[in-house]
Amino acid sequence: MPRGEGLPSFGDGFFKAIFTVAKTPEMLARMKKLPAHKMIRHMRHGRPLYLYRDAAGCRCVWVGDEAAYRRFRELFRQAELARKKEKRIWETHWEATRALAPDKIDDFLDQDLPGF
């Protein structure tokens, strides 16, 4: 993931499984300088640290090392695959339903549907 790439919202549980929350006074004071909701790679003592400022949720900074970041990427990949699979299942179900009874669906959709 490139430096500063925006991420979807996962909630605290997703990050708690991988990263450590940084709530030291020093971190909180500098937190506002970090972009919100973006994963940032920062080199410290020759090793990469990954920082994510959660401005809306915990109002903290999640911090992880290279191993935490690899785990994050794997969970992110799994979540994306699950989302795509769910979408394919829905689309397949919809097409199968239309194929079985296209006249019934068109009749239903031709009705005056409140709110649509």
Side-chain angles (χ1 to χ4, degrees):
M1 183 175 291
R3 179 181 169 94
E5 183 173 329
L7 301 173
S9 174
F10 290 108
D12 285 356
F14 186 82
F15 285 100
K16 282 179 187 175
I18 309 164
F19 292 94
T20 303
V21 68
K23 283 194 171 184
T24 65
E26 177 187 83
M27 248 333 216
L28 291 173
R30 294 187 313 182
M31 181 176 94
K32 293 183 180 175
K33 294 179 183 177
L34 296 172
H37 306 291
K38 293 184 185 293
M39 186 67 71
I40 302 295
R41 182 175 187 259
H42 176 74
M43 295 300 289
R44 183 169 182 157
H45 305 296
R47 296 176 30 195
L49 282 180
Y50 295 87
L51 308 162
Y52 179 85
R53 177 180 163 215
D54 186 357
C58 71
R59 297 182 182 181
C60 62
V61 177
W62 298 98
V63 181
D65 60 9
E66 190 70 36
Y69 181 71
R70 280 194 307 271
R71 180 74 178 130
F72 167 80
R73 292 290 300 162
E74 178 59 23
L75 290 176
F76 183 85
R77 187 186 68 78
Q78 290 174 11
E80 281 295 299
L81 289 173
R83 186 190 60 77
K84 288 177 183 178
K85 181 179 179 181
E86 184 177 325
K87 182 180 177 189
R88 280 193 311 271
I89 290 169
W90 170 251
E91 289 169 348
T92 301
H93 177 71
W94 174 250
E95 291 303 318
T97 303
R98 270 190 76 77
L100 291 174
D103 56 328
K104 303 281 189 229
I105 292 173
D106 289 336
D107 290 345
F108 175 76
L109 292 175
D110 287 340
Q111 296 175 25
D112 184 28
L113 300 173
F116 292 95

